[in-house]
Amino acid sequence: MTNIIRFIALLAGVCVVTSSSVAAHDLFFRARHYLVAPGEDAWVDVYTGTFSKSENAVKRDRPVVLELVTPSAREPVPRERWDDSTDPTSVVRITTGAPGTYLLAAYLKPRLLSLPADKFNAYLKDEGLDDILALRKVNNRMAEPSKERYQKFIKTLIQVGDAHTAHASTVLGYDAEIVPEQNPSALKPGNSLTVRCIVKGRPWANRVIFAGGRVGRSDRRIPPQRLTTDAEGRATVRLTTAGVWYVKFVSMLEIEGDEDANYESRWSTISFAVGAAGPRVGWRLPGHRRSESTSMTGVQ
């Protein structure tokens, strides 16, 4: 009996690893400090993989757009500020000015991904793409591999000084984006945050999205939330604890007449801190003990 129990536990572990590996290609911005003093530089790591672990650095030529919304402007971030030499993460350096809530955003060039049928089906289940999975079942395509054209859209919010400005809710017009309707920097643990999800200018209505993050200044996971948007693309995230949070979703369509792809997906993420303590001392991520001045060698 003991051996059987051990075997079942081992099998369950294998299933978890397999499922996670299928869906482990999210893209996130994770700021090293989510609170900085006005006029200071902020360093933002680019995680490709999961919110805890990056698999590799994203090359500088991948972003189509890299931009910053400040209290005074929406402006491009110079491409040389994206350092791809710091594998397994890339690093973006931004310069702050006046107090306010800054929005760093980017999206990457589309890429193609092919998966065998079993892994693609598992990926659809993991990402809450129940409509695509149901369509595959109806059309007897569950055994077909995928050819997916995907594109990723990412944001993060950094609080500069004490002024909570409305720039957190800026709609950028990306093909997929998450727009917080309150400023997370002004919220506290126990509050709720309403987010609006948009795909190609329309509400991502009645769809699954996910929220989660890391507790406090640790890398301990915040229990993930699986949420469903309403008819306007809105969902409410329960901010259960202080920490670094993310919200994410994947949108997908089955397409025809394209010899390179039979599915098209858009990935969107946003990250932010809740309950940070103050400029420079708040929300430093674990694992970044080296000085920021040396971590950006060669970046101008």
Side-chain angles (χ1 to χ4, degrees):
M1 180 64 70
T2 301
N3 290 335
I4 293 175
I5 293 173
R6 287 176 179 172
F7 174 77
I8 292 172
L10 178 61
L11 182 60
V14 169
C15 291
V16 169
V17 170
T18 301
S19 175
S20 300
S21 65
V22 170
H25 48 207
D26 286 307
L27 187 70
F28 298 99
F29 278 141
R30 287 191 66 175
R32 296 185 181 182
H33 290 283
Y34 280 89
L35 272 150
V36 299
E40 290 196 324
D41 285 351
W43 279 260
V44 180
D45 289 308
V46 185
Y47 277 62
T48 177
T50 69
F51 201 60
S52 290
K53 183 178 180 180
S54 185
E55 297 171 356
N56 55 268
V58 176
K59 295 301 182 183
R60 181 182 290 174
D61 63 355
R62 290 280 310 282
V64 178
V65 167
L66 176 63
E67 60 183 340
L68 184 67
V69 180
T70 74
S72 60
R74 175 179 175 179
E75 55 195 14
V77 175
R79 194 53 56 97
E80 61 268 19
R81 296 290 185 91
W82 184 293
D83 183 3
D84 57 17
S85 67
T86 55
D87 199 66
T89 63
S90 304
V91 185
V92 180
R93 177 170 62 93
I94 63 172
T95 299
T96 71
T101 305
Y102 285 53
L103 171 61
L104 177 67
Y107 63 87
L108 307 188
K109 298 173 184 176
R111 279 192 164 184
L112 293 172
L113 170 68
S114 296
L115 288 175
D118 58 340
K119 289 190 175 182
F120 184 65
N121 295 334
Y123 149 45
L124 295 177
K125 183 177 180 180
D126 284 347
E127 296 298 339
L129 295 167
D130 301 333
D131 55 332
I132 301 296
L133 192 59
L135 190 61
R136 282 172 66 82
K137 290 178 180 178
V138 167
N139 294 332
N140 295 316
R141 301 181 64 181
M142 291 293 284
E144 290 185 13
S146 68
K147 294 187 296 181
E148 177 189 355
R149 179 180 292 108
Y150 66 92
Q151 191 170 18
K152 298 181 180 181
F153 304 81
I154 54 175
K155 297 178 176 180
T156 196
L157 298 171
I158 298 172
Q159 182 61 37
V160 179
D162 296 327
H164 296 123
T165 54
H167 305 94
S169 299
T170 301
V171 179
L172 299 177
Y174 291 177
D175 279 356
E177 67 178 305
I178 299 165
V179 180
E181 296 199 329
Q182 300 85 33
N183 187 334
S185 301
L187 299 179
K188 298 178 180 179
N191 292 159
S192 294
L193 172 69
T194 303
V195 296
R196 184 157 55 102
C197 302
I198 306 170
V199 175
K200 305 230 11 127
R202 301 175 66 87
W204 187 237
N206 306 309
R207 307 288 180 153
V208 172
I209 70 171
F210 297 90
R214 301 299 176 264
V215 176
R217 297 174 179 82
S218 73
D219 219 7
R220 182 160 52 92
R221 293 183 67 194
I222 295 170
Q225 299 174 35
R226 178 182 169 125
L227 308 168
T228 302
T229 60
D230 65 14
E232 299 300 319
R234 290 183 171 90
T236 299
V237 180
R238 303 178 307 279
L239 302 175
T240 54
T241 184
V244 180
W245 285 78
Y246 68 80
V247 181
K248 68 165 193 155
F249 73 85
V250 179
S251 68
M252 184 178 290
L253 293 172
E254 186 176 295
I255 58 176
E256 297 180 353
D258 189 325
E259 62 181 20
D260 295 322
N262 52 11
Y263 294 94
E264 185 175 80
S265 66
R266 295 174 177 87
W267 300 62
S268 183
T269 66
I270 188 169
S271 60
F272 50 87
V274 173
R280 286 197 58 79
V281 298
W283 300 124
R284 183 177 179 85
L285 291 177
H288 291 296
R289 296 188 178 88
R290 62 181 179 177
S291 72
E292 283 136 349
S293 61
T294 59
S295 69
M296 294 295 292
T297 302
V299 176
Q300 303 174 11

